[in-house]
Amino acid sequence: MKRWEIKKVLEREIESLPQGVTIPEAGTSENYITGTWRTFKPVIDFEKCTQCLFCFIFCPDSSIEVDNGKVVGVDLKHCKGCGICAAECPRNAISMIEEREEG
Amino acid sequence: MITRQVLALTGNAAVAFALKQINPDVVAAYPITPQTTIMEEFSQYVANGEVDTELVRVESEHSAMSASIGAAAAGARTITSTSSQGLALMWEELYIASGLRLPIVLVNVNRSLSAPINIHCDHSDSMGARDSGWIQIFCENAQEAYDMTIIAVKLAEDKRVRLPVMINYDGFIISHSIDRVEILSDEKVQQFIGEYKPEFSLLDRNNPVTMGAFDSLGGFYYEYKKIQCEAIDNSLQVMQEIFDSFELISHRQYRTVEKEMIDDAEIIFVIAGSFCGSIREKINEYRSRGIKTGLVKVRSFRPFPDNSYREILKNAKAVLIFDRSTTPGAKGGPLYIEILGSLYGVEKPPEVFNFIYGLGGRDLELDEIDKSLEITEKALRGEVVDRVHWISLKKKEV
Ligand code: SF4
Ligand code: SF4
């Protein structure tokens, strides 16, 4: 897949920007780290979780990680901490824990 | 050799016929008076299998423009159409279509905006969208509506342009009146518009792209707006080129600013849309009385052919600008303000007057055109007169 190097773009003349600011690369939102916006992070209690996948369906940022049809964790690079997963979980298996600086 | 085929068609039927000949990949539209009959006719062509178009019957104009954007981003030749409140409901998507440089064609049948609710013609809808980055073309009659719809496809898709184009013509007067329309053969139309090769396509799985990505502080929004403005400025020359190539197949000549009886004209009328006819009628009469009058008809409003207006108008004694919409709180209608700007810095500029007419379908009567000339002649004799006039206000009964 062609990659769009931001550095290269920065050095380009404005005329050579692709028409319609189209980026010749797909799935670029992966490079946009929205995890830094978070003040609360979801923590899943797998003792309570029944694997209903509601959290996966409701997460607006596709940040619930699923492997082999099972919820395995949260993609903290992209999770914005909106708390929707916690609110929707029918088992109250997700708690929102305040982010604190380490140490 | 040109074989002429003439049909009696309403403006909307003429446009529906043009759409049939264009055979777009996708049409997404929602009904609104006075646009509805375009889609009514076009959907019959679809139902009869006369076109290959995917007709998307959406639930609102907001969705019509959204579906059009999606279709165009997928690389489809896309056309939509609306009027008035419908165009207003498309507002936020209009900017997205132009920002993404998607060559969508929108046929806008001019109608007033509420309130009070009114279904008749004025230009408030398209004038409100003048800053949305769309090319805007005005038509005087059904023939022009037919021709410009075909031209719009080629203009929008030209590699140097790649911008959405809005065709505007007066509701009811043009859309619903039967007019003489000379049509081209299907082959001619297809040859003229050619095959559309999109720059990018969301359906091209071998070359995946991202369109409409977030561009924050530190991004390119500012640069990009500059590029977009340059693109619409440059489209003026391309528009004239396309008009010229259209003339070769149709023998109908168009200019980005249309001028008639201008060479020796001392008093020039400027107007867009169907009332050009009434003004032309009057100009002929004035000329027979020795008053040197001329007509400038608005073709391209966006981009605005600033230099051409300056060149055409600078030597006149007076310019009478007829606006079929208002800019509440500003000193006159949008066309007036635009032309005043074009004339700035001209040595001995003409006297310029603004006549607000036709709002909500109000007729512009011939004696009101006389009145505008009288006001102008008064000013030329040195009397002080107002710059902006609402010439069709109802009078108190005596
Ligand atoms: S907090 Fe919001 S963004 Fe994060 S995983 Fe839950 S639903 Fe998704
Ligand atoms: S919604 Fe709750 S129970 Fe369902 S999969 Fe997610 S964490 Fe488990």
Side-chain angles (χ1 to χ4, degrees), chain A residues 1 9-10 14 17-28 32, chain B residues 99-101 159 162 199-200 208-211 213-214 220 223-224 227:
Chain A
M1 194 206 283
V9 174
L10 282 169
I14 57 166
L17 284 174
Q19 208 167 47
V21 267
T22 300
I23 301 171
E25 184 185 323
T28 53
Y32 192 56
Chain B
L100 294 179
R101 306 286 297 275
K159 264 204 158 59
R162 288 288 150 97
E199 194 90 1
F200 304 103
V209 294
T210 301
M211 287 187 192
F214 181 54
F220 294 96
E223 282 70 25
Y224 189 67
I227 296 173

Side-chain angles (χ1 to χ4, degrees), chain A residues 6 15 20 23 29 31-32 40 52 73 77 81 89:
Chain A
I6 283 291
E15 293 78 52
I23 301 171
S29 59
N31 304 329
Y32 192 56
F40 287 86
C52 70
K77 259 161 80 180
C89 174

Side-chain angles (χ1 to χ4, degrees), chain B residues 287-300:
Chain B
R287 283 203 162 251
S288 71
R289 282 167 26 204
I291 308 169
K292 290 177 181 162
T293 42
L295 170 66
V296 167
K297 172 162 102 177
V298 176
R299 174 70 61 209
S300 175

Side-chain angles (χ1 to χ4, degrees), chain B residues 131-301:
Chain B
D131 297 335
S132 62
W134 283 60
I135 292 171
Q136 291 185 315
I137 291 175
F138 280 89
C139 308
E140 182 190 341
N141 50 39
Q143 181 71 65
E144 292 187 2
Y146 170 82
D147 290 349
M148 290 301 149
T149 303
I150 296 164
I151 285 169
V153 173
K154 196 173 171 69
L155 175 61
E157 291 172 2
D158 189 290
K159 264 204 158 59
R160 298 162 292 174
V161 178
R162 288 288 150 97
L163 282 168
V165 179
M166 189 185 297
I167 299 300
N168 300 285
Y169 58 89
D170 290 358
F172 293 108
I173 304 162
I174 301 178
S175 68
H176 286 60
S177 307
I178 291 185
D179 209 346
R180 176 191 187 282
V181 180
E182 210 172 287
I183 56 154
L184 300 164
S185 68
D186 294 357
E187 297 72 41
K188 277 261 168 64
V189 172
Q190 279 301 323
Q191 248 171 35
F192 179 74
I193 58 175
E195 198 195 329
Y196 171 44
K197 295 198 192 72
E199 194 90 1
F200 304 103
S201 163
L202 287 181
L203 294 182
D204 180 356
R205 300 207 305 183
N206 297 322
N207 299 291
V209 294
T210 301
M211 287 187 192
F214 181 54
D215 183 338
S216 182
L217 286 176
F220 294 96
Y221 188 89
Y222 188 96
E223 282 70 25
Y224 189 67
K225 285 296 148 187
K226 177 72 169 45
I227 296 173
Q228 203 187 318
C229 288
E230 282 171 7
I232 194 165
D233 285 346
N234 296 339
S235 73
L236 195 63
Q237 191 202 326
V238 181
M239 191 189 295
Q240 190 56 59
E241 272 176 39
I242 293 175
F243 285 165
D244 294 345
S245 54
F246 187 77
E247 189 184 342
L248 297 178
I249 60 161
S250 67
H251 285 196
R252 289 187 289 277
Q253 190 189 55
Y254 294 113
R255 295 272 168 267
T256 56
V257 184
E258 306 284 3
K259 43 183 187 170
E260 298 171 26
M261 299 170 277
I262 282 300
D263 292 341
D264 62 341
E266 294 173 346
I267 296 173
I268 300 178
F269 291 78
V270 186
I271 189 164
S274 61
F275 272 105
C276 286
S278 307
I279 301 265
R280 187 180 293 115
E281 180 85 10
K282 272 291 166 188
I283 288 176
N284 285 326
E285 184 199 312
Y286 299 149
R287 283 203 162 251
S288 71
R289 282 167 26 204
I291 308 169
K292 290 177 181 162
T293 42
L295 170 66
V296 167
K297 172 162 102 177
V298 176
R299 174 70 61 209
S300 175
F301 186 74

Side-chain angles (χ1 to χ4, degrees), chain A residues 38 40-42 55 58-64 73-76 78-86 94 96:
Chain A
R38 201 172 51 238
F40 287 86
K41 81 172 168 200
C55 53
F58 280 103
C59 172
D61 279 293
S62 310
S63 293
I64 300 289
V74 180
D75 167 12
L76 291 176
H78 297 99
C79 162
K80 293 174 186 162
C82 67
I84 289 175
C85 53
I94 302 181
M96 298 302 291

Side-chain angles (χ1 to χ4, degrees), chain A residues 3-79:
Chain A
R3 303 298 290 185
W4 206 45
E5 296 273 344
I6 283 291
K7 260 196 204 138
K8 277 193 196 158
V9 174
L10 282 169
E11 284 157 15
R12 276 195 207 176
E13 297 289 302
I14 57 166
E15 293 78 52
S16 60
L17 284 174
Q19 208 167 47
V21 267
T22 300
I23 301 171
E25 184 185 323
T28 53
S29 59
E30 208 179 307
N31 304 329
Y32 192 56
I33 308 301
T34 47
T36 55
W37 302 11
R38 201 172 51 238
T39 48
F40 287 86
K41 81 172 168 200
V43 176
I44 305 173
D45 179 352
F46 286 102
E47 301 268 294
K48 290 190 194 163
C49 169
T50 57
Q51 293 296 349
C52 70
L53 292 175
F54 271 31
C55 53
F56 169 73
I57 288 165
F58 280 103
C59 172
D61 279 293
S62 310
S63 293
I64 300 289
E65 290 173 327
V66 173
D67 190 33
N68 254 327
K70 287 207 154 81
V71 171
V72 292
V74 180
D75 167 12
L76 291 176
K77 259 161 80 180
H78 297 99
C79 162

